[in-house]
Amino acid sequence: MIDSTTTGNAPPAIRTRGLQMSYGTNRVLRGIDLEIARGEVVVLLGPNGAGKTTTVEILEGFRHPSAGSVEVLGADPADAGHAWRARVGIVLQSWRDHAKWRVRELLEYLGGFYVPYSGAVARPWPIDELLAAVGLADDADTPIGKLSGGRRRRLDVASGLIGRPELLFLDEPTAGFDPQARRDFHDLLASLSDLETTILMTTHDLDEAEKVASRILLLVDGGIIADGSPDTLRRQDFGKAEVRWFDGEQHLVHPTDDPVAFLRGLLTDPEATIEELEVRRNSLEDVYLKAVER
Ligand code: ADP
């Protein structure tokens, strides 16, 4: 994880203090303190209704929080101007109304919004480079309506990237994907991490979070209850490791805090039958379910 104090004077990509949101009497965000450094790929993970979309919409400037402060790329998104918007990419829904446009046409059209204007440097991606980056080089002239679901989503990401944003928001980007399309999309995100674009993505899919995130924020009931890399979260004290083996007669399971010490003891008996030996660590799913139960 990048420490924002070591990245010079640039403000962090995102910083919130005491962020709260209520819809009427429904308190949806309960005081979120968050700092996301440049270049992080952060997944906001949580069950439905946890407040993920609300959080992202506040960070994008679509919603105003009830209390607390928000800074995105050094500005308050609620009243940041065009120059700020040009630095942020947002991927919402698919471009369902443009089925007859060709891929290149859509990207040229969107890139046209990033024309130079006074006081700002606009530098939309050259279309062919962008198409190559998202793996659509062969589809430049394909009508959008003919793209497969996975390729369509690549185009959505391309449209979020066209203005070369410093920060990209992806809201549930793989909802409705088949496994292959999902895997392709994860590969795409991995390749984007070289671009130094900070990414904040929401999902309720644990596998997905684990695959793409450099950092996971676990949001439950309007509060962040865990924050760290997938490995760090797995190692958190939400449960023990399990040593499993077959002793010739039955399958045994031994929960332990110290599997190495337990195995040293287990393996000292040369006569013992030990087959199918396995040490099972917490999966992120175990951590997630235990954290949500709490
Ligand atoms: P998530 O994205 O994690 O599923 P949301 O941010 O969409 O969570 O919703 C969090 C809570 O806020 C839910 O209880 C939802 O019903 C409520 N909520 C979301 N949007 C609105 C709205 N526009 N008006 C009233 N309540 C809302």
Side-chain angles (χ1 to χ4, degrees):
M1 194 186 311
I2 302 161
D3 180 350
S4 60
T5 57
T6 63
T7 53
N9 293 327
I14 292 172
R15 180 191 281 146
T16 72
R17 291 282 175 269
L19 180 64
Q20 293 185 37
M21 183 68 179
S22 298
Y23 296 108
T25 56
N26 184 11
R27 202 155 162 244
V28 172
L29 299 179
R30 300 165 183 275
I32 292 181
D33 296 324
L34 180 61
E35 193 150 319
I36 295 178
R38 305 282 175 136
E40 287 193 275
V41 178
V42 177
V43 169
L44 192 56
L45 175 70
N48 283 330
K52 302 183 295 294
T53 300
T54 301
T55 305
V56 169
E57 287 179 350
I58 291 170
L59 297 173
E60 292 168 344
F62 287 144
R63 286 189 192 283
H64 298 264
S66 311
S69 67
V70 186
E71 224 183 79
V72 176
L73 301 178
D76 179 351
D79 54 33
H82 290 296
W84 178 87
R85 286 181 194 283
R87 296 163 64 203
V88 175
I90 296 178
V91 177
L92 299 168
Q93 303 282 325
S94 280
W95 293 86
R96 299 192 197 292
D97 299 333
H98 296 73
K100 289 189 181 145
W101 290 32
R102 293 179 195 278
V103 165
R104 180 190 300 281
E105 286 171 335
L106 177 70
L107 294 176
E108 277 169 356
Y109 173 74
L110 294 173
F113 287 105
Y114 296 89
V115 293
Y117 48 89
S118 64
V121 185
R123 35 172 206 140
W125 269 38
I127 305 292
D128 288 317
E129 267 180 45
L130 177 59
L131 288 172
V134 300
L136 284 179
D138 295 338
D139 283 307
D141 297 315
T142 307
I144 295 169
K146 296 233 160 87
L147 294 174
S148 67
R151 301 207 146 241
R152 179 77 160 245
R153 211 57 179 141
R154 283 168 185 261
L155 178 59
D156 292 339
V157 172
S159 57
L161 286 171
I162 181 80
R164 259 191 246 257
E166 292 164 54
L167 172 62
L168 180 66
F169 292 105
L170 297 167
D171 199 1
E172 305 254 348
T174 61
F177 274 28
D178 65 41
Q180 182 60 47
R182 190 176 295 257
R183 180 170 305 171
D184 289 349
F185 190 80
H186 296 159
D187 291 345
L188 167 62
L189 285 186
S191 70
L192 293 181
S193 60
D194 298 343
L195 302 176
E196 294 175 13
T197 304
T198 309
I199 297 177
L200 180 64
M201 175 176 134
T202 65
T203 186
H204 52 248
D205 182 325
L206 289 152
D207 282 345
E208 176 156 285
E210 199 165 6
K211 286 205 181 89
V212 306
S214 65
R215 177 177 170 197
I216 293 175
L217 302 169
L218 182 50
L219 186 72
V220 176
D221 202 15
I224 290 173
I225 62 166
D227 176 356
S229 70
D231 275 346
T232 314
L233 292 194
R234 259 195 305 268
R235 279 198 295 268
Q236 277 189 4
D237 186 25
F238 286 111
K240 295 166 184 268
E242 283 176 354
V243 180
R244 296 159 175 250
W245 73 102
F246 182 66
D247 72 357
E249 289 177 5
Q250 54 181 335
H251 289 276
L252 297 167
V253 179
H254 180 82
T256 172
D257 287 325
D258 190 348
V260 174
F262 177 77
L263 281 172
R264 284 209 171 98
L266 181 70
L267 297 172
T268 47
D269 179 357
E271 301 297 317
T273 304
I274 301 168
E275 292 169 4
E276 300 169 34
L277 180 63
E278 184 188 354
V279 178
R280 193 172 171 277
R281 291 270 172 200
N282 270 326
S283 69
L284 198 60
E285 185 175 8
D286 298 330
V287 172
Y288 176 83
L289 293 174
K290 282 171 189 154
V292 171
E293 269 168 25
R294 280 185 181 179

